[in-house]
Amino acid sequence: MMLSFFDQFMSPTYLGIPLITLALVLPWILFPTPTARWLNNRLLTLQGWFISRFTNQLLLPMSPAGHKWALLFASLMLFLISLNMLGLLPYTFTPTTQLSLNMGLAVPLWLATVIIGMRYQPTASLGHLLPEGTPVPLIPVLIIIETISLFIRPLALGVRLTANLTAGHLLIQLIATAAFVLLPLMPTVAILTTTLLFLLTLLEVAVAMIQAYVFVLLLSLYLQENV
């Protein structure tokens, strides 16, 4: 029984071909394509408004040098939200529950922010490893601690996204299984459990959007330190 709960996180295959590639391509197919007309439909207008507000809020405290990342951040935000939301549908697979995928997104982007800082302002980037006014005996210890915290950042990004989505999916499956088992035995309790399942699903929808936003927000904060 315990193994069956974790079967939903296994990458499905068909004729030996991993279907995770299809799951990664599908969100881009679902996005509406902008047209050359002056007036767009409501869906395109809502999508444009969302991207505009998101990029404005994300890049407002950042220097103009970091505005070049606007397209990347907006695309990553839409991509993660789409993957997380599609994974809540029945009989679907959520690629963002795979730690390997999340680390594959987190490590290169974090490394790019570090390389940019080391290239354009190495003094300021290295200055983050030693806070101002540190007592002399604590300097070696703080440098080691700040260096470790710097290298933990991509791991924290990947693990946070994986753990939150995995925990939500497991909790939904556990409560759904309990409601199914209790239905012939205690219908009243089963109805209450189903109501809890509905509320938990709404919460998981919010978590799916919030975790995508937190992932991109932390990347923008790392970039802000280095530009």
Side-chain angles (χ1 to χ4, degrees):
M1 177 63 70
M2 294 304 297
L3 290 178
S4 64
F5 286 152
F6 290 92
D7 285 345
Q8 59 176 320
F9 304 116
M10 297 176 60
S11 179
T13 58
Y14 182 71
L15 298 177
I17 302 174
L19 298 182
I20 188 172
T21 306
L22 179 62
L24 293 175
V25 174
L26 185 60
W28 301 112
I29 301 176
L30 298 178
F31 290 144
T33 305
T35 61
R37 295 181 299 179
W38 286 6
L39 295 178
N40 294 318
N41 55 33
R42 292 183 177 88
L43 186 58
L44 281 173
T45 303
L46 181 62
Q47 175 181 296
W49 174 84
F50 172 76
I51 294 175
S52 176
R53 294 294 299 174
F54 168 72
T55 53
N56 184 33
Q57 181 181 0
L58 195 66
L59 302 178
L60 187 61
M62 199 176 298
S63 63
H67 293 179
K68 302 175 183 178
W69 289 60
L71 179 60
L72 176 62
F73 284 155
S75 302
L76 182 62
M77 175 72 173
L78 290 176
F79 182 62
L80 291 178
I81 285 181
S82 302
L83 288 179
N84 296 346
M85 297 291 287
L86 289 175
L88 294 174
L89 298 176
Y91 303 104
T92 57
F93 171 68
T94 313
T96 44
T97 57
Q98 306 294 311
L99 183 60
S100 57
L101 174 66
N102 296 333
M103 293 301 295
L105 291 173
V107 173
L109 293 173
W110 164 82
L111 187 60
T113 62
V114 174
I115 291 176
I116 287 176
M118 293 296 182
R119 179 179 179 182
Y120 292 105
Q121 47 178 10
T123 304
S125 297
L126 293 176
H128 293 298
L129 301 179
L130 185 62
E132 187 177 357
T134 304
V136 177
L138 296 179
I139 287 179
V141 178
L142 279 180
I143 290 179
I144 294 174
I145 292 175
E146 292 296 331
T147 303
I148 294 175
S149 67
L150 177 65
F151 284 97
I152 284 179
R153 285 179 175 182
L155 181 63
L157 278 177
V159 171
R160 181 186 294 106
L161 183 59
T162 304
N164 280 282
L165 295 179
T166 302
H169 283 65
L170 279 177
L171 195 56
I172 287 177
Q173 186 170 2
L174 285 170
I175 295 179
T177 304
F180 181 76
V181 172
L182 291 173
L183 185 59
L185 302 176
M186 293 179 286
T188 305
V189 178
I191 292 175
L192 294 176
T193 308
T194 305
T195 305
L196 178 63
L197 178 62
F198 175 74
L199 297 177
L200 180 63
T201 304
L202 295 180
L203 177 63
E204 191 63 21
V205 170
V207 168
M209 294 187 289
I210 291 172
Q211 288 304 316
Y213 175 72
V214 168
F215 189 92
V216 180
L217 178 63
L218 290 177
L219 280 176
S220 69
L221 293 178
Y222 300 158
L223 179 64
Q224 186 178 350
E225 291 181 357
N226 293 284
V227 296

